[in-house]
């Protein structure tokens, strides 16, 4: 039996390219709620993945135990590594829509939880592999600080101003509960944001959820280009 080398949480609109995968085995499906959720195992080359398409959010009324159930499942199924992705608003002036950002630190604005947390919950080794492979594929990957808010509304211009001032590079509504839970379970963690829209304080944004989904489809192509090389280096 192959062991799972990577658990993968796919954020809003991110899809795994069916042509990359074999031996897909559906474990769970839930069409209720905003996000159509699927849990499946599959192979990319000779590496086995456990994939969570869609996640539970705080703004849907879920508690932290529920939001992090995917991470506990990954741990129970023996995954030693997890790649957590999300859709996020870009605050850094150098970012464009559709860019990828490796999260190298974060500020958690919804944190009221008991998980053990570490000052640096991200795996240097996984980050190095991800950046090397994306470089080989000529795909630009930024690095930056992610801020997690409860949502569901996007930021006001005043909040954007504040977020830029405190040094956030991207803002979103997910990921950090899973990051902290995975760290607490001893899973190696890497997290990547897809910049689906740019947050500008002078131009109040009316970002439609559909636009976010469209851009994240484009960004999916980048993630799919990096994944085979990335997983081939995991044990
Ligand atoms: N803000 C918060 N969460 C988000 C955004 C945003 O601009 N875009 C996608 N998720």
């Amino acid at each position: 039996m192959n062991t799972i080398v990577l658990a993968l949480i796919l954020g809003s609109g991110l899809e795994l390219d069916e042509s990359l995968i074999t031996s897909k085995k559906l474990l769970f499906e839930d069409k209720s709620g905003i996000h159509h959720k699927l849990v499946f195992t599959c192979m990319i080359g000779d590496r086995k993945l456990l994939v969570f398409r869609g996640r539970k959010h705080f703004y849907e009324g879920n508690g932290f135990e529920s939001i992090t159930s995917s991470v506990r499942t990954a741990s129970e199924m023996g995954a030693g590594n997890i790649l957590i992705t999300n859709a996020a608003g870009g605050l850094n002036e150098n970012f464009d829509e559709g860019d990828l950002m490796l999260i190298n630190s974060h500020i958690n604005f919804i944190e009221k939880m008991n998980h053990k947390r570490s000052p640096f919950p991200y795996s240097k080794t996984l980050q190095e592999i991800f950046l090397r492979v994306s470089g080989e594929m000529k795909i630009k990957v930024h690095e930056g600080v992610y801020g997690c808010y409860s949502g569901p509304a996007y930021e006001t211009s005043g909040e954007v101003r504040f977020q830029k001032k405190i040094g956030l590079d991207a803002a979103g509504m997910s990921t950090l509960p899973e990051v902290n839970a995975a760290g607490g379970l001893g899973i190696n963690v890497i997290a990547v944001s897809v910049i689906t829209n740019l947050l500008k304080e002078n131009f109040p944004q009316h970002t439609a959820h559909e636009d976010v989904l469209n851009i994240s489809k484009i960004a999916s192509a980048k993630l799919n280009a990096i994944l085979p090389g990335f997983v081939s280096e995991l044990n």
Side-chain angles (χ1 to χ4, degrees):
M1 242 296 264
N2 261 321
T3 53
I4 293 166
V5 298
L6 183 72
L8 170 63
I9 299 179
L10 290 169
S12 291
L14 294 173
E15 302 284 356
L16 201 50
D17 188 344
E18 292 286 332
S19 70
L20 280 185
I21 64 178
T22 56
S23 312
K24 184 171 175 180
K25 199 169 147 218
L26 186 64
L27 305 181
F28 176 79
E29 179 163 24
D30 177 8
K31 291 186 177 173
S32 70
I34 303 172
H35 305 274
H36 176 186
K37 298 176 197 69
L38 294 174
V39 183
F40 58 91
T41 56
C42 66
M43 302 293 293
I44 295 185
D46 62 357
R47 296 297 202 270
K48 188 171 182 181
L49 279 78
L50 171 65
V51 181
F52 299 86
R53 180 200 182 275
R55 56 153 60 83
K56 294 174 185 165
H57 292 86
F58 190 68
Y59 63 75
E60 294 169 295
N62 298 297
F64 290 108
E65 282 307 298
S66 168
I67 292 172
T68 55
S69 63
S70 52
V71 175
R72 286 191 300 283
T73 301
S75 173
E76 281 157 17
M77 291 180 71
N81 304 297
I82 190 164
L83 167 55
I84 306 175
T85 66
N86 61 48
L91 292 154
N92 187 308
E93 305 281 328
N94 298 321
F95 291 4
D96 269 327
E97 290 180 345
D99 281 356
L100 302 182
M101 184 191 91
L102 187 65
I103 300 178
N104 62 18
S105 194
H106 63 234
I107 304 179
N108 196 348
F109 291 94
I110 57 170
E111 186 160 44
K112 291 278 177 291
M113 53 187 147
N114 304 320
H115 298 302
K116 281 189 229 139
R117 38 168 280 171
S118 113
F120 190 82
Y122 303 103
S123 159
K124 274 271 167 235
T125 308
L126 293 185
Q127 292 190 331
E128 276 164 20
I129 298 171
F130 193 90
L131 290 173
R132 178 159 40 76
V133 173
S134 55
E136 285 162 8
M137 302 303 293
K138 309 250 183 298
I139 293 168
K140 180 175 62 182
V141 177
H142 303 285
E143 295 181 57
V145 179
Y146 174 85
C148 178
Y149 294 83
S150 60
Y154 288 168
E155 286 64 25
T156 64
S157 49
E159 285 164 340
V160 172
R161 183 174 182 178
F162 171 71
Q163 289 170 334
K164 287 191 179 203
K165 220 165 227 165
I166 62 170
L168 293 183
D169 297 293
M173 308 171 194
S174 68
T175 300
L176 301 189
E178 292 104 314
V179 165
N180 285 326
L185 290 165
I187 304 176
N188 303 317
V189 181
I190 179 169
V192 175
S193 290
V194 165
I195 305 302
T196 49
N197 55 288
L198 300 176
L199 291 166
K200 296 185 180 156
E201 64 181 275
N202 294 329
F203 308 99
Q205 308 284 303
H206 299 286
T207 311
H209 188 58
E210 294 71 51
D211 294 339
V212 168
L213 294 187
N214 283 334
I215 302 267
S216 42
K217 293 235 161 68
I218 295 165
S220 289
K222 297 182 184 175
L223 205 57
N224 280 294
I226 297 168
L227 268 179
F230 179 67
V231 296
S232 75
E233 299 207 27
L234 304 180
N235 296 302

